[in-house]
Amino acid sequence: MWSRSSSSRRQVSTADGDPEKVLSQVQDLSDWLLANPQINGCNTFENLHFFLRTSKFDVERTKKKLKTFYQMRADRTEWFDNRDPKLPEIQELLNLGVFLPIGADAEQRMVVVIRTAAHDPKLHTQNNVFKTSKMILDLLLKLEPETCARGMVAILDMQGVQLGHALQMNPKLIKRSVESWTAYPCQPKLLEFTNAPRHVNFFLNTFRIFMTPKIRSRLFVRRDGTSVICDQLPKELGGQGLSYKELSIRWKQLVEENADFYVEQDKYKSKLK
């Protein structure tokens, strides 16, 4: 539970509208979570304000988002249980750099690079790839809430993709992956696949089946390069920013330094009926 402290007031931007109204809305959400303990959501001001802001300050919409998010965390135990950064399977994927946040684009939205083929499908399960990616995403929301609240821009680099990678992504897993993106409070504003093989649309059509029309309209495919304008684009995408290797080292260190964060976050998931 939270109180209307001076720190919480400072976190309400004038761009959010009437600060007193926002504080009242967050209080309503806090009371609602307390009255619905089965949701078992994080009841801090920072968390509730973030969900409210990314739901366009619609309280009922925010409640639905909170329920969906914490239900997902309970349902997908393969992604959200035992998130110890020191686990060998997590260490290997952190070293490979399967999910790399890079910074804000020209519209001040958070850009992440998802390296869909960085892992070896014979050695790494797709569920562990998703688990590692969501560990980094959760930490990113904590470290960069302002940028993330404006939306996410995902560059999905398919360089080196093989049949084995495609075979890992069965329809059930694709459905769960798409649902997880929409369950998060930060919405994808662009999903751009790059270095895509010629037959990629046969594969992506399965993704499109499970997407809402809005998300589907934000999916684009390129043979190479990226349309994203960002000062920190990695060298591999034609930018002047850190390389994939350097970004991997940075985010591996951040994840390891925040091991306690995952212990705390893992407490919050719906109590399944």
Side-chain angles (χ1 to χ4, degrees), residues 135-203:
M135 287 176 68
I136 297 173
L137 177 57
D138 286 353
L139 183 59
L140 178 64
L141 299 187
K142 172 180 180 283
L143 298 177
E144 299 285 349
E146 284 296 313
T147 309
C148 292
R150 299 187 189 100
M152 308 290 287
V153 171
I155 304 171
L156 296 101
D157 188 350
M158 302 187 76
Q159 185 69 47
V161 70
Q162 302 171 8
L163 179 60
H165 294 106
L167 292 176
Q168 281 189 313
M169 295 296 291
N170 59 65
K172 179 188 290 186
L173 202 51
I174 289 173
K175 182 175 185 287
R176 290 175 175 176
S177 174
V178 172
E179 289 174 345
S180 74
W181 270 93
T182 55
Y184 266 83
C186 49
Q187 289 295 297
K189 301 297 184 182
L190 173 66
L191 298 170
E192 185 177 81
F193 288 78
T194 189
N195 294 318
R198 294 187 183 279
H199 58 273
V200 69
N201 276 308
F202 291 104
F203 174 67

Side-chain angles (χ1 to χ4, degrees), residues 32 39 51 61-75 179-180 182-184 270:
W32 174 75
I39 295 172
F51 270 87
R61 180 176 171 182
T62 307
K63 290 178 181 178
K64 290 179 182 177
K65 179 67 75 171
L66 286 163
K67 286 178 69 174
T68 301
F69 180 72
Y70 289 110
Q71 187 64 54
M72 174 193 67
R73 292 174 67 87
D75 290 340
E179 289 174 345
S180 74
T182 55
Y184 266 83
S270 292

Side-chain angles (χ1 to χ4, degrees), residues 31 46 52 69 90 100 148 175 202 210 241 267:
D31 294 342
E46 291 81 7
L52 180 65
F69 180 72
I90 302 300
L100 301 172
C148 292
K175 182 175 185 287
F202 291 104
F210 301 112
K267 299 175 184 176

Side-chain angles (χ1 to χ4, degrees), residues 42-220:
C42 178
N43 205 346
T44 64
F45 175 85
E46 291 81 7
N47 185 60
L48 296 180
H49 180 242
F50 187 80
F51 270 87
L52 180 65
R53 182 178 176 184
T54 53
S55 298
K56 299 182 179 179
F57 297 93
D58 183 323
V59 172
E60 292 306 313
R61 180 176 171 182
T62 307
K63 290 178 181 178
K64 290 179 182 177
K65 179 67 75 171
L66 286 163
K67 286 178 69 174
T68 301
F69 180 72
Y70 289 110
Q71 187 64 54
M72 174 193 67
R73 292 174 67 87
D75 290 340
R76 300 275 68 80
T77 56
E78 64 273 26
W79 300 345
F80 294 102
D81 278 3
N82 193 23
R83 300 202 299 173
D84 181 356
K86 293 297 185 182
L87 289 172
E89 60 270 28
I90 302 300
Q91 283 280 303
E92 289 177 17
L93 292 167
L94 289 172
N95 284 329
L96 289 172
V98 293
F99 187 95
L100 301 172
I102 64 172
D105 73 351
E107 297 180 46
Q108 296 304 302
R109 305 171 299 185
M110 179 55 69
V111 181
V112 300
V113 175
I114 300 172
R115 301 177 64 211
T116 62
H119 68 287
D120 184 340
K122 295 178 182 178
L123 301 176
H124 309 111
T125 69
Q126 190 63 50
N127 276 325
N128 278 337
V129 172
F130 285 152
K131 180 177 182 176
T132 305
S133 299
K134 288 177 190 338
M135 287 176 68
I136 297 173
L137 177 57
D138 286 353
L139 183 59
L140 178 64
L141 299 187
K142 172 180 180 283
L143 298 177
E144 299 285 349
E146 284 296 313
T147 309
C148 292
R150 299 187 189 100
M152 308 290 287
V153 171
I155 304 171
L156 296 101
D157 188 350
M158 302 187 76
Q159 185 69 47
V161 70
Q162 302 171 8
L163 179 60
H165 294 106
L167 292 176
Q168 281 189 313
M169 295 296 291
N170 59 65
K172 179 188 290 186
L173 202 51
I174 289 173
K175 182 175 185 287
R176 290 175 175 176
S177 174
V178 172
E179 289 174 345
S180 74
W181 270 93
T182 55
Y184 266 83
C186 49
Q187 289 295 297
K189 301 297 184 182
L190 173 66
L191 298 170
E192 185 177 81
F193 288 78
T194 189
N195 294 318
R198 294 187 183 279
H199 58 273
V200 69
N201 276 308
F202 291 104
F203 174 67
L204 292 184
N205 281 341
T206 309
F207 275 87
R208 291 185 176 100
I209 290 171
F210 301 112
M211 290 178 173
T212 63
K214 180 183 287 187
I215 299 298
R216 203 178 300 137
S217 71
R218 296 172 178 174
L219 187 154
F220 297 91

Side-chain angles (χ1 to χ4, degrees), residues 102-106 108 111 228-234 239-242:
I102 64 172
D105 73 351
Q108 296 304 302
V111 181
V228 176
I229 301 173
C230 175
D231 291 339
Q232 300 174 64
L233 275 178
Q240 301 298 315
L242 298 178

